[in-house]
Amino acid sequence: MAFTEKTRGLYSEILTGLQTAGLFKQERFIHSAQAADIEVEYPTGAPLKKVINICANNYLGMSSHPEVVKAAHDGLDSHGYGMSSVRFICGTQDIHRTLESMVTQFLGTEDTILFPSCLDANGGVFEAVLTKDDVMISDRLVHASIIDGIRLCSAMHDTFKHSDMEHLEEKLQLHSDKRLKMVITDGVFSMDGDTAKLDKMVELCEKYNALLFVDDSHASGFIGKTGRGTHEKYGVMGEIDIITTTFGKGLGGASGGCVSGRRELVEMCRQKARPYLFSNTIAPPVVAGVIKVLEILSASTDRRDKLEHNTEFWRKGLIDAGLIIKSGDTPIVPVMLFNAKLAQDVSRDLYEEGIYAIGFFFPVVSQGQARIRTQISAGHEIHHLEKALDAFKKVGKKYDILGKSKQEIIERYGM
Ligand SMILES: *Cc1c(COP(=O)(O)O)cnc(C)c1O
């Protein structure tokens, strides 16, 4: 073995460095199903603690919804456990095609192709549809998996300042000589919970003859009046050329993703996208689960309506308590603490109070922008949210941050 003591030492040093810098990610073990109430082992070896989860992407409470679990069981019985193949060899079942049609219908697009994950969809789509004669113009805050996909594509890459439409227009003018221009954005941005201005972006893309790409992972199932996504919220359904999304958040929480949009672009992915061609697709029980999720969401808007109601209650509660939150109307609600250590301390104390919410700080967000990102779910009842608000008030009082301005918090705790 060439893994010498010296090699081991090299890696140990890097890992210790992460710990010293406070950047080491320590996982917490959940012993129950994903839901509003969970049982957590933390620190490792500690007795199990019942806590309320307010940091999952389980927006619609589908992760352990009884009908979804049953549909997955039934799918397991009827279609087996796995495919042992990629789609184009012998890995396509009837239910894969059914799910693709249902997603197309739900998102209001022309066609859909499944991927093992949305990370894979983003990793494969650009390379499949663009060449070195083209340009990709992305918002500066797009998801990491989009950045990876962009790196794998030979088209030129440029960026525009976050949600800055004037800057985007400048970039569209600058690259007018390219064969194809693709504007790339998230629908809902995961760290701030703000939404891309899709109405304005559609307008600009029409004016400058560009394609529009939207990753709607934090929106599919609940943003917009019937939960179709950010394009529904902005009244531009049918006008987005490519939508990518995940089944790992609002749409069930298990796994899988897709590219949905113009027929020819989807077909290009089927022919050329490497994660589609060279990785197993979504397992049958998961496909059956997502089909059930879409059936439930298409039949009634109850769950997204409840989520909207919960979100309003939560945002108002935090503001009334005197905490600083990022404004908006999505269920991603960041409580701003600015200082990294303060965010970690508040997260730890909330946990003591039975509330599970994680602190985010540099490099996940910019320096001086540390926060606790809370995420609301239709799986929460008002009593969960009341208990969480009480905990935020108690901990906020301890650190004397209630009713304090950003300036006051920074003066006391530093950036
Ligand atoms: C979560 C997320 C992904 C990754 O989704 P997976 O299906 O878990 O790979 C991609 N893009 C965005 C914007 C996300 O939030």
Side-chain angles (χ1 to χ4, degrees):
M1 274 295 283
F3 198 75
T4 61
E5 280 311 307
K6 197 170 162 217
T7 312
R8 190 183 297 279
L10 183 99
Y11 288 107
S12 307
E13 206 173 297
I14 297 170
L15 292 167
T16 312
L18 288 177
Q19 265 162 340
T20 331
L23 299 175
F24 195 82
K25 296 176 196 70
Q26 192 71 55
E27 293 176 2
R28 306 180 183 197
F29 303 133
I30 300 177
H31 286 242
S32 55
Q34 185 66 279
D37 297 294
I38 53 174
E39 281 188 359
V40 182
E41 172 192 342
Y42 185 75
T44 304
L48 295 190
K49 189 174 162 76
K50 283 196 163 81
V51 293
I52 296 171
N53 190 356
I54 54 167
C55 61
N57 299 316
N58 186 20
Y59 296 112
L60 294 166
M62 291 296 185
S63 308
S64 37
H65 188 290
E67 282 181 54
V68 177
V69 172
K70 177 165 185 313
H73 272 292
D74 293 347
L76 187 60
D77 290 340
S78 62
H79 285 73
Y81 169 67
M83 294 310 300
S84 310
S85 170
V86 299
R87 285 286 293 276
F88 85 95
I89 299 180
C90 56
T92 301
Q93 287 174 321
D94 54 343
I95 52 174
H96 289 105
R97 197 54 206 160
T98 302
L99 178 55
E100 287 172 338
S101 309
M102 288 178 77
V103 172
T104 302
Q105 178 83 27
F106 190 78
L107 298 180
T109 52
E110 294 175 6
D111 200 2
T112 300
I113 172 175
L114 304 180
F115 278 83
S117 68
C118 188
L119 179 141
D120 284 319
N122 290 336
V125 61
F126 302 112
E127 191 188 23
V129 303
L130 300 174
T131 71
K132 61 177 178 23
D133 300 327
D134 308 323
V135 64
M136 305 174 280
I137 308 175
S138 63
D139 187 288
R140 287 190 184 160
L141 290 189
V142 293
H143 190 258
S145 57
I146 293 179
I147 295 170
D148 288 357
I150 286 172
R151 282 187 186 139
L152 290 169
C153 176
S154 61
M156 185 187 180
H157 179 221
D158 202 348
T159 62
F160 61 97
K161 290 180 206 153
H162 177 53
S163 274
D164 184 333
M165 295 298 107
E166 279 173 31
H167 199 217
L168 171 58
E169 184 158 14
E170 277 171 38
K171 291 299 171 91
L172 284 164
Q173 287 165 349
L174 180 68
H175 297 292
S176 58
D177 60 325
K178 293 289 188 239
R179 185 189 69 144
L180 291 170
K181 299 176 279 296
M182 186 182 285
V183 174
I184 300 167
T185 186
D186 288 13
V188 171
F189 290 88
S190 59
M191 283 301 142
D192 288 351
D194 56 328
T195 53
K197 299 163 184 152
L198 290 189
D199 48 352
K200 184 73 193 160
M201 294 178 94
V202 165
E203 219 179 283
L204 285 174
C205 285
E206 270 167 13
K207 182 167 171 194
Y208 292 96
N209 192 24
L211 299 169
L212 182 54
F213 169 106
V214 179
D215 179 340
D216 232 6
S217 290
H218 282 282
S220 296
F222 53 94
I223 297 290
K225 267 211 155 21
T226 63
R228 305 309 156 111
T230 316
H231 58 327
E232 183 183 29
K233 177 183 165 85
Y234 284 94
V236 289
M237 280 185 81
E239 299 184 62
I240 313 296
D241 303 296
I242 296 178
I243 296 174
T244 61
T245 194
T246 181
F247 307 126
K249 294 188 171 110
L251 299 179
S255 70
C258 67
V259 169
S260 193
R262 305 293 178 199
R263 201 171 298 113
E264 295 76 9
L265 300 178
V266 168
E267 194 54 44
M268 287 296 283
C269 288
R270 234 179 263 286
Q271 301 305 318
K272 296 183 71 172
R274 295 168 69 84
Y276 181 81
L277 294 175
F278 301 117
S279 185
N280 270 14
T281 188
I282 313 174
V286 176
V287 175
V290 184
I291 288 175
K292 177 53 74 179
V293 169
L294 289 175
E295 279 172 13
I296 294 172
L297 300 183
S298 302
S300 147
T301 60
D302 285 358
R303 297 189 82 79
R304 61 95 34 220
D305 296 346
K306 181 177 177 194
L307 174 60
E308 189 171 74
H309 180 248
N310 282 352
T311 299
E312 279 166 15
F313 178 86
W314 180 245
R315 284 182 174 271
K316 181 170 188 305
L318 288 171
I319 291 168
D320 290 349
L323 288 153
I324 301 174
I325 63 171
K326 288 264 179 191
S327 63
D329 56 5
T330 69
I332 298 174
V333 188
V335 179
M336 301 306 295
L337 297 163
F338 310 105
N339 174 279
K341 180 162 187 306
L342 180 62
Q344 279 167 299
D345 289 347
V346 169
S347 168
R348 189 199 53 233
D349 288 10
L350 286 172
Y351 186 77
E352 287 302 310
E353 300 296 324
I355 305 302
Y356 187 148
I358 299 291
F360 285 89
F361 38 88
F362 184 79
V364 179
V365 294
S366 316
Q367 198 84 50
Q369 288 288 310
R371 66 195 61 186
I372 288 180
R373 181 181 66 171
T374 64
Q375 290 167 282
I376 299 309
S377 168
H380 289 132
E381 301 303 333
I382 292 296
H383 69 83
H384 291 119
L385 301 180
E386 279 171 343
K387 184 161 178 221
L389 280 175
D390 286 344
F392 261 104
K393 284 180 206 163
K394 182 165 169 192
V395 176
K397 193 164 176 211
K398 170 174 167 187
Y399 291 98
D400 194 24
I401 53 174
L402 300 181
K404 295 287 190 285
S405 67
K406 173 180 177 181
Q407 208 47 46
E408 286 169 318
I409 295 174
I410 290 172
E411 266 166 30
R412 169 138 185 208
Y413 290 97
M415 289 281 269

